[in-house]
Amino acid sequence: MSELTHWKQLTNPLYIGAYSLQPGEIRTVEIVKVVKESVKGADGKADDCTVAYLKGEKPFILNSTNCKTLTKLYGTPYIEQWVGKSIVIYAAKVKAFGEEIEALRIRS
């Protein structure tokens, strides 16, 4: 089967998300750096977000859930100590904003 293109890839091309993975795909990536930066949403409003830069991939906007997972996986809440660590990313269905959506999640 050929690769599928999720419509969100066309509207949010700067960051990796659940929509960046093929159905059922899991991907191992390495964290290069983690920073706080201004990210412009679809509504044009900018918010300060925690962003992980990944080797060979688009940056990953880390929400609280994924930051807590990284803290548990690597035994440290310090972003500098996450650099160089490998993580597995996958899409999971979660409840958010009153509906079920796909979100990018992390595991070791």
Side-chain angles (χ1 to χ4, degrees):
M1 181 166 95
S2 64
E3 211 169 284
L4 301 171
T5 304
H6 193 291
W7 65 269
K8 284 188 178 181
Q9 285 181 282
L10 305 177
T11 62
N12 191 1
L14 301 178
Y15 299 94
I16 195 168
Y19 48 81
S20 303
L21 303 177
Q22 292 297 300
E25 179 184 3
I26 59 170
R27 192 179 297 175
T28 302
V29 295
E30 181 183 328
I31 299 171
V32 176
K33 69 179 177 177
V34 181
V35 297
K36 181 178 181 178
E37 65 183 41
S38 183
V39 174
K40 193 177 286 190
D43 60 359
K45 181 182 169 203
D47 286 311
D48 285 340
C49 296
T50 303
V51 179
Y53 282 80
L54 309 172
K55 188 175 188 178
E57 296 284 349
K58 293 177 183 179
F60 177 11
I61 300 169
L62 296 173
N63 61 17
S64 293
T65 299
N66 287 327
C67 287
K68 289 175 186 175
T69 300
L70 285 168
T71 297
K72 287 180 187 175
L73 285 175
Y74 297 113
T76 179
Y78 301 106
I79 62 173
E80 296 83 4
Q81 295 177 330
W82 299 345
V83 173
K85 305 292 188 196
S86 290
I87 56 173
V88 174
I89 55 175
Y90 64 98
K93 290 191 187 270
V94 300
K95 289 192 183 217
F97 314 110
E99 61 182 307
E100 191 173 84
I101 62 168
E102 277 201 320
L104 203 56
R105 290 293 187 243
I106 297 170
R107 67 179 185 220
S108 61

